[in-house]
Structures are given as structure tokens and as C-alpha cells.
Amino acid sequence: MTHKSLEICYDFPFFMKEELDEIFKAHEKRSFQKGDFILEEGKTANEYYILDSGLARSFVNDFNGNEVTTHFFVENEVIIEVLSMFQRVPSQENIVCITDCECWKLDYDTFQELFHKIPNLREWGRAWMSKELFDYKQRSVEMFTLSATRRYLNLLEQKSKVIQFAPLKQIASYLGVTDTSLSRIRKELVSHPRKN
């Protein structure tokens, strides 16, 4: 495992080398196996992770007890349940590994220390949070304004690893369609690739 994922994740123009060195040193290597839970519903998040390799997802259980995928985490992304970690409340979401995962872990207390010590980390945090809010807003709007086929193609373009490794059922729930609809969309794309 290299520091490449940390470098990508903490790519912020105002960090000084010594600040990044301190931030990188505060992270611990952590390995998970396929099927391992990074966070379980009802538990409070006490750390966040930067995904070095692998694929993970977050999901909730709907009122009928069905799993609904809320997010896919790919390499160089932060795996976090923001509300639970920063509000110190039990998580409503589960985060689980779809494949074996290698991560860099930063615990809550260490993050708080660094956050108060390094002003640039606060600025990075604001920039990261703004981007996440924008992405979530964009996704919620696209659920209503784009066709299921277009949403699938966007996912394929942005996170191709999801299409490669995630089960059809998880992808379908993330896109807000049934397994059958997603199978049909995939078949249509194979037989009419230029149409879309």
C-alpha cells in the first residue's frame, strides 16, 4: 500500500509538505475482507477511511426490510458516515466491503487534534464537504430528471469498478430501479450501443 491514495485525497493547494507529512503519519493501515462491515447501523462512527484499493458501499434498510444502496466508495475516496461521526450519533447506515479492501484509517480524536492544529486541514475539510454536498444534490436531482439508462451510463462512466464488481441487485437499488429493469437496460445497451 502506498501513500498515493492519501496524496490524491488530500490534494489541496495550500497544504505545506510538513502538514501533509503529519496528516499522512496519523493514518493507520487497515485491511478488510469481502463482506466485512466497516460500520454497522446503530453504532457510532469513530473514524473515517481513505480507500486505497477495493470497493465498498453504504446501505440502509427500507421500511420493508429491503437493502437500499445509498453510495458506492471507490479507490481514493473517503469512506465516512458524516452525520454519525461529527454529530456523535448512532449511524442509520451500514458500510460494507464488496471486495477485499485496503484502507488508511484516521480516528475521530486524532482528526480533531489535527483539525484544530492545522488551519489548512479545516480549509480542506470545508472544500471536501462542499464537493460532497454538491455531488449528493446532483444525484438527488438526477434521480428525477434523468432516465434510468442515463443514470446507469453515468455510473459506468464515473465508477466503472461498481459495474464490474457490485451485484446487479445493489446497482439497481442505487439507481432506483428493479433488477429486471436494470437487466433490460444492460441488454438494450449491448444490442444498441449507439442509440444512447
Side-chain angles (χ1 to χ4, degrees):
M1 212 159 57
T2 66
H3 282 135
K4 190 162 190 273
S5 55
L6 294 177
E7 287 164 10
I8 291 168
C9 193
Y10 292 107
D11 181 22
F12 185 65
F14 305 113
F15 276 133
M16 291 182 280
K17 188 187 180 302
E18 56 271 23
E19 291 173 335
L20 281 175
D21 287 346
E22 189 171 0
I23 291 165
F24 289 4
K25 273 183 199 153
H27 288 71
E28 290 173 47
K29 291 178 184 177
R30 185 76 203 274
S31 298
F32 294 96
Q33 292 186 316
K34 178 181 177 176
D36 284 353
F37 278 80
I38 291 173
L39 178 66
E40 288 182 73
E41 179 184 354
K43 295 187 176 171
T44 302
N46 289 310
E47 60 273 311
Y48 69 79
Y49 299 86
I50 290 165
L51 189 55
D52 195 61
S53 67
L55 180 67
R57 74 174 178 122
S58 56
F59 71 91
V60 294
N61 293 296
D62 71 10
F63 52 88
N64 290 318
N66 301 308
E67 288 184 9
V68 179
T69 300
T70 52
H71 195 71
F72 287 106
F73 301 94
V74 295
E75 288 163 9
N76 311 318
E77 286 188 341
V78 178
I79 298 177
I80 190 170
E81 209 285 76
V82 174
L83 187 67
S84 177
M85 180 142 164
F86 296 116
Q87 296 295 314
R88 312 307 298 142
V89 295
S91 174
Q92 290 185 289
E93 291 185 273
N94 298 280
I95 302 176
V96 68
C97 297
I98 294 173
T99 65
D100 291 350
C101 293
E102 295 290 331
C103 302
W104 290 102
K105 172 185 148 185
L106 187 63
D107 69 63
Y108 175 78
D109 292 334
T110 308
F111 175 78
Q112 286 297 317
E113 277 173 41
L114 293 171
F115 194 73
H116 293 294
K117 185 179 175 184
I118 303 172
N120 282 328
L121 184 60
R122 292 200 290 275
E123 292 309 311
W124 169 85
R126 282 193 193 98
W128 179 85
M129 191 68 84
S130 297
K131 184 189 176 300
E132 289 298 300
L133 279 170
F134 174 81
D135 289 348
Y136 274 106
K137 177 70 176 174
Q138 188 80 7
R139 175 167 141 66
S140 62
V141 168
E142 287 176 358
M143 288 295 278
F144 298 103
T145 58
L146 298 182
S147 68
T149 303
R150 187 70 254 168
R151 294 198 305 272
Y152 176 80
L153 288 169
N154 284 354
L155 182 62
L156 179 62
E157 190 181 294
Q158 293 156 13
K159 297 186 176 188
S160 60
K161 204 165 191 178
V162 171
I163 309 300
Q164 254 180 299
F165 295 102
L168 184 80
K169 195 176 187 68
Q170 294 173 6
I171 299 168
S173 76
Y174 178 75
L175 295 173
V177 297
T178 63
D179 306 8
T180 314
S181 296
L182 183 54
S183 291
R184 194 184 67 247
I185 288 166
R186 287 172 121 167
K187 279 179 193 151
E188 283 172 4
L189 289 170
V190 170
S191 54
H192 306 287
R194 288 175 171 263
K195 196 175 150 187
N196 302 288

